[in-house]
């Protein structure tokens, strides 16, 4: 049992579950996207730097937390918790740029890019 966990066999199921949960939670948050008036760093070197990309999205979600309505707080907390859990399953890339080196986009674009990134990780 420990050998299976050490080699990561169950992690693919965990990763898939996290991705599907994140996508579902983002769909809920989408209803509020036009109310969030922020510009957020939006990663563009996603595939090569998955861990750094997730780290950036997670940091920017903390900024979003200050702008959302009361009814979205629990959903956003779930997104942040699951982004953190997903980061723990992905090895850190090398040569990846810091979050602040990315362009800033409005929240609807940020939301779309994060959703697309997570969907691409499911493939």
């Amino acid at each position: 049992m420990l050998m299976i966990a050490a080699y990561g066999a169950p992690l693919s199921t965990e990763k898939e579950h996290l991705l599907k949960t994140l996508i579902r939670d983002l769909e809920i948050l989408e209803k509020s996207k036009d109310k969030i008036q922020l510009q957020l760093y939006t990663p563009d070197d996603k595939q090569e730097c998955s861990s750094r990309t997730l780290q950036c999205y997670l940091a920017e979600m903390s900024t979003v937390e200050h702008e959302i309505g009361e009814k979205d707080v629990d959903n956003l907390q779930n997104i942040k918790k699951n982004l953190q859990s997903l980061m723990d399953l992905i090895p850190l890339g090398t040569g990846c740029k810091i979050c602040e080196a990315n362009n800033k986009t409005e929240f609807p674009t940020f939301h779309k890019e994060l959703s697309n990134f997570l969907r691409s990780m499911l493939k």
Side-chain angles (χ1 to χ4, degrees):
M1 181 92 136
L2 289 175
M3 287 180 66
I4 292 171
Y7 288 107
L11 294 183
S12 63
T13 303
E14 182 181 358
K15 181 178 170 184
E16 182 178 344
H17 175 73
L18 282 169
L19 287 166
K20 287 180 179 180
T21 301
L22 277 161
I23 291 166
R24 197 169 38 249
D25 286 342
L26 282 167
E27 287 169 356
I28 295 167
L29 187 62
E30 184 173 18
K31 295 173 184 137
S32 299
K33 72 179 182 185
D34 294 327
K35 298 176 191 169
I36 301 170
Q37 302 298 315
L38 288 175
Q39 290 214 337
L40 302 159
Y41 293 109
T42 305
D44 57 11
D45 55 351
K46 299 171 183 86
Q47 298 308 323
E48 303 82 24
C49 297
S50 294
S51 182
R52 184 65 70 128
T53 296
L54 289 170
Q55 188 177 33
C56 183
Y57 280 122
L58 178 61
E60 292 300 274
M61 280 296 182
S62 293
T63 304
V64 172
E65 192 169 8
H66 302 291
E67 293 288 318
I68 61 171
E70 211 43 54
K71 66 183 177 82
D72 292 319
V73 170
D74 288 341
N75 186 40
L76 187 67
Q77 290 298 326
N78 286 338
I79 291 170
K80 289 171 58 180
K81 177 184 66 108
N82 288 324
L83 281 172
Q84 182 63 56
S85 296
L86 187 57
M87 277 177 46
D88 295 342
L89 300 176
I90 297 174
L92 191 60
T94 57
C96 302
K97 62 184 172 183
I98 61 169
C99 189
E100 292 78 9
N102 292 292
N103 291 326
K104 283 188 169 187
T105 63
E106 299 290 332
F107 182 76
T109 302
F110 172 88
H111 179 276
K112 179 181 168 203
E113 290 297 318
L114 174 54
S115 296
N116 288 343
F117 175 63
L118 294 171
R119 283 188 183 94
S120 74
M121 290 180 74
L122 267 175
K123 297 176 183 174

